[in-house]
Amino acid sequence: MKKIIVIFLSILAFLASIFFAFNIFLKVYFNEFFYYTPDFKGLTLEEVNKMNSQNIFDIKVAGSEYSNYPPGEIFMQEPHTNRVIKKGRDIKIWISKGSDEIELPNLQGKNLIDITGLLQRDGLNIRKTSYVITPLPYNTIITTNPLPGAKVKRGDSISILVSDVENKKVSMPDLVGIEFNKAKDLLSKNYLNVGNITYKETDYLDPGIVIETSIPSREEVSAGTAVDLIVSK
């Protein structure tokens, strides 16, 4: 009986030693090769790089988008926080461009052509342009809907009321062969607007050159007419 007890205790001791040795090995192995993903949200890329100074993770910037986080802060990551990953694995992060809600700037008194780039920079579109005859210079913005100062989101569209002149006739400038941005300036100076833009591939022109216009050059048209352009691609 004593012999059986001794054998049983020996087996228990052997199993216990294996169990503890395995746990010690697992703990060392895990700390050496496996990690929990940190929470990078709310940090800047510079702060993340400082945290990862030993290059435990391979940080990849996957993109930047508008979010509720301030500009420059990380608002999303993959894998998510507290996931077990191997040493050296990629962690993708997305950096915030700030809120997609902005305050509509005051456009009153500005020329319609001049504010197009401003609206595009803020991600806003023009839904409707209405004209009314006033003593103001042609294409001067009178008001907008929503009004200046209103909160709008990037991608929203606004309506604009613009000054017109009674029965004003202008001559269509010759734009063929001219670089697109210069063509826009010429249209603006001649009280004309840019209409639809179509891009066409050519074998003989650099990109961005006006190939064709919807209105022939020197034709008399009403001020404010939209001119469609075909531009080399």
Side-chain angles (χ1 to χ4, degrees):
M1 185 66 179
K2 289 183 179 180
K3 187 176 180 181
I4 294 174
I5 294 174
V6 170
I7 294 173
F8 178 73
L9 292 176
S10 298
I11 293 173
L12 283 180
F14 177 72
L15 292 175
S17 64
I18 291 177
F19 175 79
F20 287 116
F22 177 75
N23 275 274
I24 292 172
F25 166 77
L26 183 63
K27 184 175 181 180
V28 172
Y29 182 79
F30 185 88
N31 287 337
E32 182 66 27
F33 298 103
F34 289 88
Y35 295 86
Y36 288 107
T37 53
D39 186 1
F40 291 144
K41 293 190 295 294
L43 302 178
T44 65
L45 180 58
E46 182 180 0
E47 291 171 332
V48 168
N49 287 334
K50 286 182 179 178
M51 287 179 60
N52 191 43
S53 59
Q54 297 182 0
N55 295 319
I56 295 173
F57 310 111
D58 190 2
I59 307 298
K60 303 285 188 183
V61 178
S64 59
E65 299 175 14
Y66 296 106
S67 74
N68 293 327
Y69 283 74
E73 290 188 3
I74 296 164
F75 71 94
M76 186 167 63
Q77 67 180 70
E78 179 64 37
H80 298 296
T81 307
N82 288 330
R83 298 292 176 85
V84 177
I85 62 174
K86 285 185 178 182
K87 180 179 181 180
R89 175 173 170 180
D90 291 354
I91 297 182
K92 296 179 181 179
I93 59 174
W94 284 261
I95 298 176
S96 175
K97 294 166 66 175
S99 174
D100 65 347
E101 187 176 76
I102 61 173
E103 187 176 288
L104 183 65
N106 186 1
L107 305 177
Q108 295 174 0
K110 293 181 170 59
N111 186 277
L112 177 61
I113 303 298
D114 295 337
I115 60 92
T116 303
L118 174 66
L119 293 178
Q120 289 177 346
R121 183 198 68 189
D122 290 337
L124 300 176
N125 304 303
I126 297 177
R127 177 174 58 249
K128 182 181 179 182
T129 303
S130 302
Y131 286 85
V132 61
I133 296 174
T134 73
L136 295 171
Y138 179 74
N139 256 0
T140 299
I141 297 175
I142 300 170
T143 188
T144 59
N145 183 24
L147 294 172
K151 295 293 185 181
V152 292
K153 289 190 174 182
R154 301 177 195 274
D156 286 352
S157 297
I158 66 173
S159 297
I160 298 178
L161 182 63
V162 183
S163 66
D164 199 356
V165 290
E166 191 171 6
N167 298 324
K168 181 178 177 63
K169 293 290 184 179
V170 295
S171 178
M172 173 66 192
D174 187 1
L175 305 179
V176 176
I178 294 178
E179 195 270 331
F180 175 61
N181 288 327
K182 291 182 179 178
K184 287 198 302 181
D185 291 339
L186 274 174
L187 288 175
S188 176
K189 290 176 181 177
N190 286 273
Y191 305 103
L192 298 171
N193 296 320
V194 177
N196 295 321
I197 302 169
T198 304
Y199 291 93
K200 182 178 180 181
E201 291 187 0
T202 65
D203 296 329
Y204 54 89
L205 288 175
D206 292 333
I209 304 298
V210 176
I211 302 172
E212 187 180 335
T213 60
S214 59
I215 300 172
S217 63
R218 299 190 180 88
E219 182 173 314
E220 292 289 318
V221 294
S222 299
T225 298
V227 181
D228 297 338
L229 304 175
I230 298 179
V231 181
S232 60
K233 187 176 181 180

